[in-house]
Amino acid sequence: MSIVFLILSILSMAAAIAVKVMFVPASDGIDISGAHVFFTIKMPIQDLPITEAQVNSWCVILAVLFLCLFLTTGLKTRNISIRQMVAEWIVEKVTGLVRTNMGEYFEGFAPFIAAILGLSGFSSLSSLLGLFPPTSDINIIAGWAILVFFLITYYKMKAGPWIYLKSFGQPQPLLAPLNIISEVATPISMAFRHYGNVLSGSIISVLIAVGLTKLSNSLFSFLPGALADFPYLRIGIPAVLSIYFDLFSGCLQAFIFAILTMLYVAGGFPAEEYAARKKRRQERAAAKAARSQTAGKHADN
Amino acid sequence: MQDLDIISVNIWHIVISLANLVILFLILKKLLFKPVKKIVDKRQKEIESEYKKAEKTQAEADAIKAEWEGKMATAEAEADKIISDAVERADSRNEVMLYESREKADQIIRKAKADIERERKDARETIKKEIVDVSQTLSEQIIGREINMDDHRDLIDKAIDKIGEEQ
Amino acid sequence: MLELAIGIILGGCALGAGCAMIAGIGPGIGEGHAVAKACEAIGRQPECKGDVTSTMLMGCAVAETTGLYALVIAILLIFVAPGRFVDLLMTTIGG
C-alpha cells in the first residue's frame, strides 16, 4: 500500500520531466534565460503566464504530498518500520530546531518551517533531474518572502497596532523612514539572497558548459566529421560543479531561508508587551465577569 | 511560446507561489506532523501505562517476596530450633550414657580390685598358715620336743610380718 | 546614428555590469576573514569543529548576500536592461 505512494511521488517528478521533454524546445544548455512559458491566461492586472517554474513547483508539492502519505501510512506504536523512524526523525528534528530558535510559544511554526525547507530544498534539488529549478525564478521566492513578511508584521502587531507603529520611531523619531526601509528590505533581501544563489549557480554552470564546449571543439578538431563537434569535456566535469551548486548550495540556502524566517518572526515578536497585554485583557475580562455577576445578584434581589 | 526574461516580476506568480507555500504547510501539518505527533503521544501513553503496570506487578512481587522471606525466616528458625533441640538431647543422652558407662567401668574395676585384694589376703593368710605349720614341724623335729604353741606363736608371727614387710 | 546610440546603450550596460561586480570584493574579504577566524577557533578548540563549521557556513551564506545583490544587478544590466533601453529608444524616436 505504502509503496504506491512512493511510486506516485516519483511519478510526479517524472511528470515534470515529461512536460519538459514534450513542450520545452531542446536547447544545448548554453543559453541564459528565464522559465519557458507554456501558455498565458488573461487576468485583470497582469496576464498570468503558466511557466516551467510554476509547473515544477506544483510537481514538487505533489511529490512532497505523496512522500508524506508514504511516510505516514501504517503508523504503529511498537516494532516501528524504517519509514516511521524517518517520519518521526523529521518531525522531531524540525520541532527541536523551531524550539531552540523561536521558543516554546512558536512551536506551531514547525510545519511551516518544514514546508519552507521541503519546498525550497526539493525545488533546488530538482535541477539535478535536469528540470528548471523553481527557486531560480524570482516570483516564487518573492511569494515566500512576502508570506514571511506578513507573518513578521502579524506577530509584531500581536501586542497591539499602537506598539507596532511606535516601534518605527524607536531610537529616534527622525529615523522612522530608515526603519520603514529596513522593514521593507527584509523580504527583498531574503528573496534576492536565495534567488541570487541559485541563479549564480546556474549561470556559472552555463558559463562552464560554454567554455568546455569551446575547449573540446578546439582540442578534438582533428577527429573526422561529426565526431569533432561532440563536446567530450562536458561529460562528467559539470557534475562535480553541480554537487556544489545544486546539492550543497540548494540545501544550504533552504536552511538559511528557514533560519532567517525563524529569527525574524521570533525577533520581531514583542514577548513582554504581549504578555502584559494578555494579562491586562484577562484582568479586564475577570472584572467584567465579576461585575456581571454582581449585577445578576442585584437583579435577583 | 518564448521564454520569460531572466528577471520578470509577475504579481500572479507571486500570489500563486505564496498560496503554494501555504498549501504545502497545510499538507505537512495534516499529513505529517499530526499523525506523527498523535502516534508519539499514543506511544507515550502506552509506555506510561506499561510503566504503571510494571510498577504494580513489581509491588505485588515485592509483597509476595517479603511474605515468602518471612515464612522462610520462621521456617529456618524452626529448623534451627529442632536441630539444636535434637543436638541438645543427643548431647545429654550421650553424657548420661558416658557417665553410666564410666560408672559401670569404675564399678567393674573396683570389684576387680577388691577381688584381687581379697585373693591376695587369702593367699597371704594361707601362706602364713603354711609357713607357721612348716616352721612348727621343722622346729619340733629339730628341737625334738613339742614346743608350746602359745609361747612361740607371737615370735613366729613377728618373723612372718618381717618377711611380709621385706617382700 | 541609431547604431551609435544602441552601441552606447550596450556598452554602458556592460560597463555598469562590470562595475557592479566590483562589489564581489567585499564578500570575498569578509568570507575569507570568517573562514580564517573559524580555522583559528578550530585550532584552539578542535572538539567544537562541527559547531564552528556550521556557524561559519551560515555566516558565509549571509555575508554572500551583498555579492549576490551585485550579481543580480549585473545580470539585470546584461540580460534585461539593454532590451528595455533599446525599446525605450525606439519608442522615443518613433514617437
Side-chain angles (χ1 to χ4, degrees):
Chain A
M1 182 58 205
S2 59
I3 204 76
V4 175
F5 289 125
L6 186 63
I7 290 166
L8 278 172
S9 167
I10 294 166
L11 267 184
S12 54
M13 289 321 285
I17 297 174
V19 166
K20 182 186 164 81
V21 168
M22 284 198 293
F23 296 110
V24 179
S27 71
D28 49 358
I30 53 170
D31 58 333
I32 300 169
S33 69
H36 181 75
V37 178
F38 294 122
F39 54 88
T40 311
I41 300 169
K42 291 273 179 214
M43 290 294 261
I45 304 165
Q46 210 173 4
D47 286 350
L48 167 64
I50 300 296
T51 64
E52 231 182 319
Q54 306 268 303
V55 174
N56 287 351
S57 74
W58 290 330
C59 289
V60 166
I61 287 173
L62 265 183
V64 174
L65 165 66
F66 287 125
L67 210 61
C68 284
L69 287 173
F70 166 67
L71 285 175
T72 56
T73 41
L75 290 177
K76 288 174 288 184
T77 51
R78 54 180 66 188
N79 293 333
I80 58 174
S81 54
I82 293 171
R83 279 185 298 119
Q84 192 181 343
M85 267 161 69
V86 170
E88 283 180 13
W89 183 80
I90 291 169
V91 170
E92 206 175 285
K93 280 282 158 190
V94 175
T95 313
L97 190 71
V98 170
R99 199 177 295 153
T100 51
N101 280 309
M102 300 175 83
E104 295 281 334
Y105 179 77
F106 289 102
E107 207 152 290
F109 260 74
F112 182 69
I113 299 300
I116 287 178
L117 281 173
L119 196 52
S120 169
F122 280 111
S123 297
S124 298
L125 292 181
S126 72
S127 67
L128 284 178
L129 299 174
L131 299 168
F132 180 87
T135 40
S136 73
D137 187 338
I138 184 70
N139 298 306
I140 304 274
I141 320 263
W144 307 345
I146 285 170
L147 181 57
V148 171
F149 175 70
F150 285 157
L151 282 173
I152 295 168
T153 313
Y154 173 73
Y155 278 98
K156 276 189 175 176
M157 293 264 235
K158 266 228 142 165
W162 179 239
I163 288 171
Y164 173 66
L165 287 179
K166 232 168 42 178
S167 74
F168 283 113
Q170 205 34 258
Q172 264 276 328
L174 276 176
L175 291 176
L178 283 181
N179 278 332
I180 290 168
I181 287 173
S182 81
E183 196 74 13
V184 174
T186 303
I188 294 175
S189 96
M190 279 175 90
F192 274 105
R193 175 178 299 124
H194 197 160
Y195 165 74
N197 263 295
V198 180
L199 185 72
S200 70
S202 60
I203 285 175
I204 290 168
S205 299
V206 168
L207 291 179
I208 295 259
V210 173
L212 286 177
T213 310
K214 290 271 162 64
L215 191 65
S216 72
N217 280 349
S218 57
L219 274 180
F220 297 99
S221 57
F222 61 87
L223 289 170
L227 283 174
D229 292 335
F230 190 76
Y232 295 100
L233 288 177
R234 277 180 68 186
I235 304 167
I237 294 172
V240 180
L241 287 165
S242 135
I243 286 175
Y244 177 78
F245 285 118
D246 294 337
L247 258 174
F248 178 74
S249 185
C251 293
L252 188 68
Q253 287 309 312
F255 188 67
I256 284 168
F257 196 91
I259 288 270
L260 285 178
T261 303
M262 289 190 278
L263 291 183
Y264 281 134
V265 172
F269 178 62
E272 289 164 22
E273 282 95 338
Y274 178 68
R277 189 187 196 209
K278 208 173 169 188
K279 206 177 162 191
R280 248 192 343 264
R281 267 194 183 168
Q282 274 172 354
E283 275 169 8
R284 212 176 302 155
K288 206 173 173 185
R291 214 180 304 140
S292 69
Q293 221 169 17
T294 51
K297 269 184 191 170
H298 280 303
D300 285 347
N301 290 343
Chain B
M1 295 293 263
Q2 80 286 4
D3 293 348
L4 276 181
D5 279 341
I6 195 153
I7 296 180
S8 62
V9 178
N10 188 310
I11 192 89
W12 295 113
H13 274 181
I14 292 173
V15 171
I16 285 171
S17 83
L18 197 154
N20 280 350
L21 189 57
V22 173
I23 287 165
L24 193 66
F25 159 67
L26 292 177
I27 285 171
L28 283 177
K29 193 178 172 186
K30 294 276 176 232
L31 292 181
L32 184 63
F33 277 71
K34 212 168 142 195
V36 169
K37 282 241 166 80
K38 213 162 137 194
I39 208 81
V40 167
D41 284 351
K42 202 174 157 198
R43 183 185 303 149
Q44 193 69 34
K45 263 179 205 154
E46 223 164 74
I47 285 168
E48 266 166 24
S49 72
E50 288 284 315
Y51 265 128
K52 261 179 203 159
K53 214 187 275 172
E55 270 167 15
K56 206 176 148 197
T57 37
Q58 182 73 38
E60 273 172 15
D62 279 351
I64 288 167
K65 200 184 161 195
E67 193 183 314
W68 275 103
E69 267 175 5
K71 272 188 188 170
M72 284 299 286
T74 51
E76 256 170 32
E78 262 170 37
D80 279 354
K81 205 181 155 200
I82 286 165
I83 288 168
S84 62
D85 277 4
V87 166
E88 217 169 280
R89 218 177 296 151
D91 275 359
S92 63
R93 195 178 290 169
N94 217 3
E95 258 169 37
V96 168
M97 274 164 80
L98 249 165
Y99 182 75
E100 277 177 0
S101 59
R102 211 174 283 157
E103 198 88 329
K104 220 175 254 176
D106 280 359
Q107 238 173 0
I108 290 164
I109 289 166
R110 238 178 285 139
K111 207 178 163 190
K113 269 184 184 167
D115 280 358
I116 291 165
E117 198 70 16
R118 206 176 57 233
E119 293 276 325
R120 212 162 77 183
K121 242 178 207 169
D122 281 0
R124 196 176 279 173
E125 287 292 315
T126 22
I127 290 166
K128 215 192 253 176
K129 220 183 197 172
E130 272 181 16
I131 287 170
V132 169
D133 285 349
V134 169
S135 55
Q136 205 174 342
T137 9
L138 274 177
S139 53
E140 267 177 24
Q141 277 177 2
I142 293 166
I143 300 167
R145 61 171 181 110
E146 200 173 333
I147 49 173
N148 194 355
M149 256 329 237
D150 300 322
D151 286 351
H152 296 284
R153 175 69 63 177
D154 285 339
L155 190 75
I156 292 161
D157 272 352
K158 264 178 203 163
I160 287 165
D161 279 346
K162 209 182 255 178
I163 291 164
E165 274 165 19
E166 277 169 6
Q167 269 179 356
Chain C
M1 198 61 201
L2 192 64
E3 286 88 351
L4 185 65
I6 291 174
I8 286 170
I9 287 172
L10 290 179
C13 285
L15 268 176
C19 290
M21 284 315 291
I22 291 172
I25 294 169
I29 292 171
E31 276 177 37
H33 205 68
V35 175
K37 289 283 176 193
C39 287
E40 273 177 25
I42 291 171
R44 215 175 295 130
Q45 281 175 303
E47 66 273 10
C48 303
K49 194 182 172 193
D51 283 349
V52 169
T53 310
S54 59
T55 315
M56 182 200 78
L57 282 177
M58 272 286 302
C60 280
V62 174
E64 223 170 46
T65 313
T66 49
L68 289 168
Y69 294 160
L71 178 78
V72 170
I73 299 293
I75 288 167
L76 275 174
L77 281 173
I78 291 173
F79 293 104
V80 181
R84 294 282 159 89
F85 288 147
V86 170
D87 283 354
L88 200 68
L89 181 74
M90 289 306 184
T91 49
T92 319
I93 291 170

